[in-house]
């Protein structure tokens, strides 16, 4: 076992197979892809990369599997199922574009799709096939996409996946904010392999990862942490401004042919920007590099918008650019000097997960109604809405009324 | 400046007046009064005392006042107002009974009432009068009771008082739970002296402590932390069981004349129990000392009880004892072998505080309705209800139906 | 597995046997024996008890054994050897007197001797015999005394025992000083079962606990931490003053017949002092309770004393009292108003332990001479001497010259 | 005051002048220069940059000055002296080359020299002159170089400078090692403005920064921390290997004319390497990017080398390259496949600083001989020697005897 030091988990032990995968060029690229994209321009400590996060997720997988094993939950399961989970944890972010999630919002492939060829072919595919059999890469891909029949699937993708625990705690640590505190140890301890409640629609007949009732307050801590991180970091107005600038400048470079979409996933953060500086310099790029971020011209909370209004801003990139440029023109700004932003609608915390009650029966959390505890799925939805804002950023001060913005939606 | 080390705040600097007060017997008694009463029987690390908490609260008062001063908020205010606040922070818990809050639930005086003579007379009174004038003790008492006209009153007693920030963080640290994370620094930084919103009913015309809008997410962190600490520690079923045992055994000793109410506030934790062991040994006391805690015979969440049902369990101690003994008899238990528990109804987080909006105007937080952020006062109420349970504890396993318990209410 | 929360290690998992032992009265007494004796009068946070420390040491034993197992070091060893080690870790401090080590300096039995009857008889003995066989109590006692032939003996008593790692980290945390940082995880990771170097005199032919070469810098961190804790906490002048007061007042109570030596080990901290307050009140006791600590009249570093001078102050309690009273008389002080203090000569860090070199051979650390790393045993001796001071404390300011003190030695 | 979050110090408050300086391109470049050069290839968390470190050093300057002010030490001193110190703390690393210190070892200018034009001219010079007068830039430069007559000079450059406290703690945090614990708060608290001891040779007659006697154990913690960081991180064999590879590949690029020395200070880390990849690709560069680090062919501790032997390896870069290539040839390796490394001889902790003794007189620490505490300057020298090793790294396994290496020296 090789040991790697880590600011969050202190000592991460790595099995030989994990080490071999880490030593491949696609994995080493992750050292140069910042975990939080442009957030380091607002939180200077956020210089951590997908590389550390991947190691940490692998580490949590080892711990979670160790605890399940200690309690006998894995009895009768093939060891290979556990190995697949550890490796999927390690490789789950292999497909990230430069600056992580931002480019997915301009219509680039989701990173889990990008991952497939990187895992199936090249050095990673070779190593996996040699160690775990010819269909190992595809098994790992299915786990990462959340489509595996592995009963441990829930550790990799789902309401309580280890990825989430890892990034919330690491991002909070690196940003220097006291918001990522999760009762991680208790959460891991209360994971359990259960058969879903019989009444669950489409319930798979097989085993899946759930949580013991006594772990529910740790689940609450996860929800609070996630909400606070969205409100204070991920959806911080200045972080969103930098992200909007980056999305638009890359989009413009793609449109201008200075860059091709298929190359994107091969770049590092700095590799992409330095390349664009020489091949497709632009005022947006220069402003980003000198940290002259666009300012809010207006912002409106999601809760004050008509239901479903404006969802196209997150979903339909072409329409968004057109709207941006039309508004810019009205305000006397150049194309690219006004940017719209409305973070993609996702669940704050999907909470459709089985709970093993003290009495021994299993319930889906979403069913929970009247047992006196807080309604977590509902609270989750409320918190989510309150953290989401529609914003317009401009290069120079500009006057934009709420009425004008709402007309657009 | 004398420096004292502290596990939570690291270095606490003390002015000479604070040192003199600390060196009095009433203050030294606090070293022997555990901050969390009987919780150390469930969370072994919770052996910290009111003494450390008092130093920590003083420390936060110094920091808060320093920040207000740095920003010019204290300009024009008499220095003596700040000194009073620092000293009130130091002395606010001087009147605690052994094991802190528990005995207030059996009808003993509230600790803020007990504090008055301890501050007005004896060595503390003398020191205060000599240093701060003849009416200083009474000024301090008024601050502690929340009745002072000092514009800085809100730092000592109110929605965002420093006491709360201190105990949530210290209790979480000592219990070893990751639930007390508060964005303390940002909270202190966003405190501001404002004139209340004009529409506030009974609004004092004078200045008071409020919070800047950008501090609202730190206020949220305070609410989440408080809820989680109540759910996991303060109202943990085993902590409540030990507390119920302690309340009943002290009450029985008072009734038997082995103890007089007026003495109570002079005892230390161990002084009280060791005294009772020699003068009024009882099965309850023996069970508590050997940590044989009564078990839950039944528990019902507050949310499932009729509105206002059972509030007398927290309020009317005589009636509670009678009900306990009647139920015990029905179940074949001796008097004192069945205990009822329903934590006193208090607000989770009173949030009636002025917010200084970005635009410069002041709003009461309770008024906040439609600006898209979460409705904190409402969320506070929901969280509070979900953490509160009605319970019956028994010395031996006993069968108690919900119906029977509900009849009683 | 029951989980207990802890401020230092967060979650401690306990096997049923450990739980049963914890639930006995002799073990519960440890809740009321402070880990650092009177140090809480100087470091207010140091209110932690032997109870938490015992749980923590058990926790480290589980981790160390788990790591040895993972690497195959325990192959061929009987599981019972590991169980004995875990239980010995849990029980190693069961025999502590009130306020921990202080009374050993006045000639009371060493706590490891007191432990024997507590482990052999009573509820602990019963539980151990039922679970682990008739000679289990004695096996545990031998481990605690360092006389066992169990190859894992070194985990319980020796240069790198787990006890030391635990108390250094916990004491530093609770005192609020940044001095107990040990690379604990690396240290545990580099423990190894080896056969001692052939040249070791009296080398047991059997296996014993050693350390891998790559763990040496973690050993250094242990040495630095221990030195810093002695210099700043354990041998802090005010801590030593309070300890000297306590030793003398207990000694006087024993001499006066108000207390008998055989009872001592049954008391809790507060039980002892509260008992003496009613039966043997004294100015010393009153001063200690009101925290009026004796002040230094003089202090001289060990390095400036003739070799071996004054060692009797730590060893010969009768002679010490006589010398104290003679000096007191000379200075116009009453008996008991002058106290001498010279901490017992122990090794800072015994470092006679086998090191498994990178090449695969084993060397005793003490032999280490010329490989370029620092000479740890020698550094240890130097650090130790520099932290040790001879002191005289007095109730009131008094003039004592170095010459007069040196004459005495 | 603007507040920036930080993983180490949590909240850093910035005055407007500091903000203006940070917003210049030369300062923004520091975001892209890693604090620990290539160490992130060994300690993945070490992705922090000179930018965060500069903010942190400024933060410590504010705290240290605040404490000196609170104690009245700054009375009579012009405020401008303090401002200069805060700004010098912020700008002290402005001249760092890509990957920080490494290139200084190949004869490039020391970063404090590179800083001069960056501070004197351009946007930084303009801002400084406008805010602090025409000679402000030069005053700042003198502080950074350690040549200022400002009595607070010692805070910026010297035995106890704030830079050191900052980097030891930050580097340890980010590497995930428990070695950087310094009693920072106590150290800052014990700083004092003194007149040097009269017997000090060349003693400046003026005031300078010293330390109070009670701060000496905090100075010890600084020494231990620095030693441990050198032994485990800065001089870790794999970190040194990566550094040696980087030095040689840049040197080769300079020799080949693919790069000019004068440009170096303008590059970011990735900017330099990506530029070289397109203009001067080399096997060394490719190996570094794919993290195929050269392995140790041999290593010898400094303590086993003849006095002063081999110092040219750190000092005379031309001779070093020649020796590397000669050895490579002997072993059948290509030029650039064998690298020599002997870290530059510097003091572990220069400790020539004034100590204000309890009695009120001032002594130089180096004079300290017989007061019983450890001889820190001597210990510092011992620790330093033990952490320093002469090493040869090779691209492929190669057999190199100690004798052959020693002949060379």
């Amino acid at each position: 076992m090789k040991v790697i030091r880590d600011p969050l988990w202190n000592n991460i032990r790595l099995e030989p197979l994990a080490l071999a995968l880490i030593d491949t060029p696609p994995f080493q690229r992750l050292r140069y892809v910042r975990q939080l994209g442009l957030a380091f321009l607002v939180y200077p400590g956020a210089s951590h990369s997908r590389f550390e996060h991947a190691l940490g997720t692998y580490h949590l997988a080892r711990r979670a599997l160790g605890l399940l094993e200690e309690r006998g939950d894995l009895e009768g399961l093939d060891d290979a199922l556990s190995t697949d989970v550890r490796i999927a944890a390690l490789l789950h972010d292999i497909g990230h574009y430069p600056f992580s999630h931002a480019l997915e919002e301009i219509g680039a492939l989701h990173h889990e799709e990008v991952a497939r060829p990187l895992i199936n072919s090249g050095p990673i595919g070779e190593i996996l096939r040699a160690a775990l059999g010819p269909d190992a890469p595809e098994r790992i891909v299915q786990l990462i996409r959340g489509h595996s029949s592995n009963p441990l699937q829930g550790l990799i993708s789902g309401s309580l996946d280890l990825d989430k625990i890892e990034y919330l705690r690491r991002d909070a640590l690196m940003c220097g904010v006291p918001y990522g505190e999760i009762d991680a140890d208790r959460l891991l301890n209360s994971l359990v392999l259960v058969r879903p409640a019989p009444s669950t629609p489409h319930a798979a007949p097989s085993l899946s990862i759930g949580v013991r009732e006594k772990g529910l307050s740790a689940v609450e801590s996860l929800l609070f942490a996630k909400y606070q991180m969205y409100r204070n970091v991920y959806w911080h107005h200045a972080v969103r401004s930098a992200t909007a600038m980056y999305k638009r400048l890359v989009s413009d470079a793609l449109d201008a042919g200075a860059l091709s979409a298929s190359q994107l996933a091969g770049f590092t953060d700095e590799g992409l920007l330095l390349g664009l500086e020489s091949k497709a310099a632009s005022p947006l790029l220069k402003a980003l590099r000198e940290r002259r971020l666009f300012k809010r011209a207006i912002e409106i909370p999601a809760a004050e918008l008509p239901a479903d209004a404006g969802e196209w801003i997150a979903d339909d990139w072409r329409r968004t650019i057109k709207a941006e440029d039309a508004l810019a023109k009205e305000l006397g700004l150049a194309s690219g000097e006004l940017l719209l932003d409305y973070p993609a609608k996702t669940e704050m915390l999907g909470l459709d997960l089985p709970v093993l009650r003290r009495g021994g029966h299993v319930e889906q959390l979403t069913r929970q109604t009247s047992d006196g505890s807080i309604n977590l799925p509902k609270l989750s939805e409320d918190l989510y809405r309150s953290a989401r804002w529609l914003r317009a950023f401009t290069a120079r001060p500009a006057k934009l009324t709420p009425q004008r913005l709402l007309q657009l939606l």
Side-chain angles (χ1 to χ4, degrees), chain A:
Chain A
M1 286 276 163
K2 164 100 175 159
V3 178
I4 291 187
R5 302 277 197 164
D6 179 67
L8 181 59
W9 306 112
N10 297 321
N11 286 269
I12 296 179
R13 288 175 187 75
L14 292 158
E15 63 201 295
L17 174 56
L19 266 182
L21 292 166
I22 289 170
D23 276 344
T24 60
F27 200 95
Q28 291 290 321
R29 184 186 68 99
L30 298 182
R31 288 186 186 273
Y32 308 95
V33 177
R34 290 182 186 84
Q35 169 80 2
L36 290 187
L38 282 304
F40 78 101
L41 293 175
V42 181
Y43 291 96
S47 59
H48 56 304
S49 77
R50 290 280 152 190
F51 186 86
E52 295 102 283
H53 167 62
L55 295 185
T57 309
Y58 167 84
H59 173 72
L60 289 183
R62 280 195 74 217
R63 274 177 62 182
L65 292 166
L67 287 165
L68 287 169
E69 171 117 60
E70 191 177 293
R71 281 197 309 265
D73 277 35
L74 301 187
E75 243 162 71
L77 287 195
D78 193 335
D79 272 3
L81 295 169
S82 295
T83 304
D84 282 2
V85 162
R86 288 197 306 276
I87 300 306
L90 186 69
L91 297 178
H92 78 284
D93 273 350
I94 194 81
H96 263 292
Y97 290 109
F99 297 102
S100 292
H101 289 285
L103 297 186
E104 293 170 3
E105 299 182 18
I106 63 167
L109 285 178
H110 191 276
H111 71 91
E112 291 169 1
E113 298 308 313
V114 181
R116 172 169 268 156
L118 291 170
I119 291 173
N120 270 311
S121 52
I124 291 178
E126 275 172 48
I127 292 169
L128 289 176
R129 274 188 295 271
L132 307 175
D135 57 345
E138 196 54 31
R139 292 200 314 268
I140 304 294
V141 166
Q142 293 309 322
L143 273 168
I144 291 174
R145 300 183 66 198
H147 298 159
S148 171
S149 61
N150 186 326
L152 302 164
Q153 166 74 72
L155 297 176
I156 298 303
S157 173
S159 303
L160 295 184
D161 58 45
L162 304 169
D163 173 34
K164 201 174 282 130
I165 299 175
E166 221 283 337
Y167 75 70
L168 290 174
R169 292 214 38 194
R170 185 176 301 274
D171 295 347
L173 171 70
M174 300 302 290
C175 289
V177 296
Y179 293 133
E181 260 325 323
I182 297 166
D183 200 350
D185 208 71
R186 186 170 191 167
L187 204 45
L188 296 186
N189 246 300
S190 56
L191 296 177
V192 62
L193 261 186
V194 294
R195 292 189 188 282
S199 58
T200 314
H202 328 297
S206 57
L207 289 164
S208 71
I209 289 286
V211 67
R212 285 187 170 73
E213 179 169 353
K214 66 186 305 182
L216 282 181
S217 68
V219 175
E220 290 171 15
S221 78
L222 185 66
L223 171 61
F224 294 151
K226 193 167 175 186
Y227 161 68
Q228 290 177 306
M229 286 303 286
Y230 269 85
R231 176 144 148 73
N232 291 286
V233 177
Y234 307 145
W235 288 352
H236 183 285
H237 64 89
V239 173
R240 291 304 303 181
S241 171
T243 306
M245 291 169 73
Y246 168 70
K247 281 158 59 182
R248 180 70 192 252
L249 77 88
V250 172
S251 171
D252 289 352
L254 286 167
D255 290 351
L259 201 61
S260 89
S262 63
Q263 297 173 295
L264 274 177
F267 278 109
T268 63
D269 288 3
E270 296 301 309
L272 179 64
L273 294 195
L274 289 163
L276 289 179
E277 274 172 17
S278 61
K279 284 190 297 187
S282 72
L284 262 173
L285 178 53
K286 194 159 163 24
L288 195 64
R289 293 305 254 180
E290 296 178 357
R291 204 197 171 283
R292 289 179 280 106
L293 304 183
F294 286 17
K295 303 291 183 223
R296 284 170 285 182
I298 192 173
E299 61 181 355
I300 305 178
E304 293 183 12
L305 296 178
D308 298 322
E311 296 297 345
W312 55 266
I313 294 177
D315 296 341
D316 184 343
W317 179 246
R318 284 292 141 206
R319 184 172 166 195
T320 303
I321 291 186
K322 255 187 223 158
E324 288 176 348
D325 286 354
L327 269 181
K329 203 169 174 186
E330 286 178 34
L331 297 175
L333 298 168
S335 165
E337 290 195 332
L338 181 148
L339 304 172
L340 291 174
D341 185 60
Y342 199 36
K345 185 168 195 172
T346 56
E347 285 174 298
M348 181 55 67
L349 190 63
L351 280 168
D352 186 15
L353 85 168
V355 177
L356 179 61
R357 292 285 171 190
R358 221 167 282 168
H361 65 287
V362 173
E363 276 178 21
Q364 284 300 109
L365 191 57
T366 45
R367 297 295 144 73
Q368 168 189 23
T369 46
S370 66
D371 75 339
S373 24
I374 46 178
N375 188 323
L376 277 181
K378 187 180 170 312
L379 178 57
S380 171
E381 175 64 22
D382 290 351
L383 293 179
Y384 168 76
R385 270 174 68 89
S386 79
R388 195 179 179 218
W389 293 66
L390 171 65
R391 296 184 177 109
F393 300 106
T394 52
R396 285 167 288 129
K399 196 154 183 70
L400 187 55
T401 64
Q403 290 70 27
R404 181 64 195 96
L405 190 55
L406 287 168
Q407 276 175 2
L408 220 82
L409 303 187

